[in-house]
Amino acid sequence: MYDIVRLVDPINKSVLDYRQSSLVGTPDVCYHYWENNRICDNCISIRSYYENKSFVKMEKSRDNVLLVTAIPIDNADSPAVLELLKDATDTMLVGNGDYNEGEIFSRFIKELNDAAVRDPLTSLYNRRFVNERLPFDIINALLKHKPLSVCFIDLDNFKSINDLYGHETGDLTIKAAGEVISRNISHEDVWVARYGGDEFLLCLSDTDEDQARAIVEYMQKEIEKMPVNQAAEGVSLSISFGIETMKNVPVTAEELIRRADEKMYKAKKEKSSDI
């Protein structure tokens, strides 16, 4: 029924082997199968592990379309998910026409997967992506003995913009700020998500606090130069941010975010007291 059956560690992204009644990690990386050398944005295996239920998605390798099912393994000594991969290249039908050729079907699959992990307003990653991806980045940084910086960013005086000029202007402001942040990051291991409302979370792998501060301060200057819109001429926009850096000492994703969030609110409070 399936072309590939494998066990994976959804947090470390490794393929597992079953030996002598126990699960053993192998050097194989689960996402290398897709031949694009990058972690799947819409990783249903990590979602299956966290929510303890099965998930299904479509994914495309270089030449094939596969139906992927992820099933959590109960009572395992370490995180483990069963992945069932079925080649559906010649049997998948979506509407009319040959969608297995060219770019049309590839875009269709990408749009389906993006819908699960992308914010519809800004097209940045969403909070679900943060919860599923950040634990891996933490483990990866510890294994490589590299720093990892998490930055929590919040728009200042956003409520005033919403109240004075309406939610449409507020949405456009959030979208424009997200564009400034995203275009100033380019490395694959660096990503930004809309965490909620007017809050953004920036994850910077292999980046210490001073480097992270320089990056975010540049974004801050760009955002401060950004007009809200013509109707709100004269209204200034700025951000407050907090940075928490982990290096060699394990910290949970929740704790990293909490510390960065607290530093952001402290910076915002100091800024408001100076006005």
Side-chain angles (χ1 to χ4, degrees):
M1 292 179 64
Y2 298 97
D3 296 287
I4 295 173
V5 177
R6 64 182 186 175
L7 291 165
V8 300
D9 179 337
I11 296 179
N12 291 294
K13 311 301 181 189
S14 61
V15 178
L16 301 173
D17 195 6
Y18 189 72
R19 299 177 188 170
Q20 299 178 343
S21 300
S22 62
L23 296 174
V24 180
T26 72
D28 296 333
V29 179
C30 63
Y31 57 85
H32 283 175
Y33 179 83
W34 306 110
E35 301 177 314
N36 57 15
N37 201 33
R38 65 188 304 271
I39 300 170
C40 302
D41 287 345
N42 183 23
C43 177
I44 60 169
S45 291
I46 190 70
R47 194 169 308 142
S48 176
Y49 170 69
Y50 282 142
E51 299 187 26
N52 196 32
K53 61 182 181 181
S54 300
F55 288 92
V56 178
K57 72 168 181 176
M58 283 189 292
E59 193 62 76
K60 192 174 187 307
S61 66
R62 185 177 300 170
D63 301 313
N64 302 95
V65 175
L66 289 103
L67 190 66
V68 184
T69 303
I71 304 171
I73 303 298
D74 293 330
N75 303 320
D77 294 333
S78 58
V81 170
L82 177 66
E83 286 190 348
L84 308 174
L85 283 67
K86 174 66 176 177
D87 190 337
T89 306
D90 299 320
T91 57
M92 184 69 67
L93 298 175
V94 181
N96 298 317
D98 187 358
Y99 287 92
N100 295 328
E101 298 294 333
E103 295 297 319
I104 296 177
F105 199 60
S106 296
R107 289 201 302 269
F108 174 75
I109 292 175
K110 184 178 186 305
E111 287 170 4
L112 280 179
N113 287 323
D114 280 352
V117 294
R118 294 278 180 179
D119 171 57
L121 176 63
T122 62
S123 296
L124 303 177
Y125 292 117
N126 59 21
R127 191 162 177 170
R128 165 181 269 176
F129 179 86
V130 175
N131 295 337
E132 295 174 351
R133 174 62 185 266
L134 187 54
F136 167 77
D137 286 325
I138 290 172
I139 292 173
N140 196 43
L142 290 169
L143 290 173
K144 294 180 178 179
H145 303 287
K146 300 287 187 179
L148 174 75
S149 292
V150 168
C151 180
F152 210 93
I153 300 171
D154 184 79
L155 299 182
D156 297 328
N157 66 330
F158 179 73
K159 186 178 184 302
S160 298
I161 293 171
N162 251 348
D163 292 344
L164 288 171
Y165 303 103
H167 290 284
E168 184 177 354
T169 295
D171 285 349
L172 291 172
T173 301
I174 290 172
K175 186 175 181 180
E179 288 172 354
V180 170
I181 296 170
S182 62
R183 71 167 174 255
N184 282 287
I185 58 173
S186 57
H187 196 273
E188 186 177 297
D189 293 330
V190 175
W191 49 264
V192 61
R194 184 185 178 196
Y195 198 72
D198 60 328
E199 299 172 330
F200 302 89
L201 188 135
L202 180 62
C203 179
L204 301 159
S205 296
D206 195 12
T207 307
D208 62 29
E209 184 168 349
D210 289 340
Q211 292 171 320
R213 186 170 301 279
I215 292 169
V216 182
E217 285 179 348
Y218 181 82
M219 295 176 181
Q220 186 177 39
K221 291 176 182 177
E222 291 292 299
I223 289 173
E224 287 175 352
K225 293 187 293 186
M226 183 183 74
V228 174
N229 70 5
Q230 291 181 347
E233 186 176 355
V235 176
S236 60
L237 187 66
S238 62
I239 63 171
S240 296
F241 64 87
I243 298 171
E244 181 65 23
T245 300
M246 180 197 76
K247 187 174 183 181
N248 295 329
V249 178
V251 181
T252 65
E254 293 80 6
E255 185 67 12
L256 265 180
I257 294 172
R258 185 187 66 79
R259 292 178 187 178
D261 190 24
E262 288 177 351
K263 290 181 179 180
M264 183 275 294
Y265 273 107
K266 182 180 179 182
K268 186 180 284 287
K269 188 176 181 180
E270 290 174 351
K271 185 181 292 186
S272 61
S273 65
D274 291 339
I275 298 175

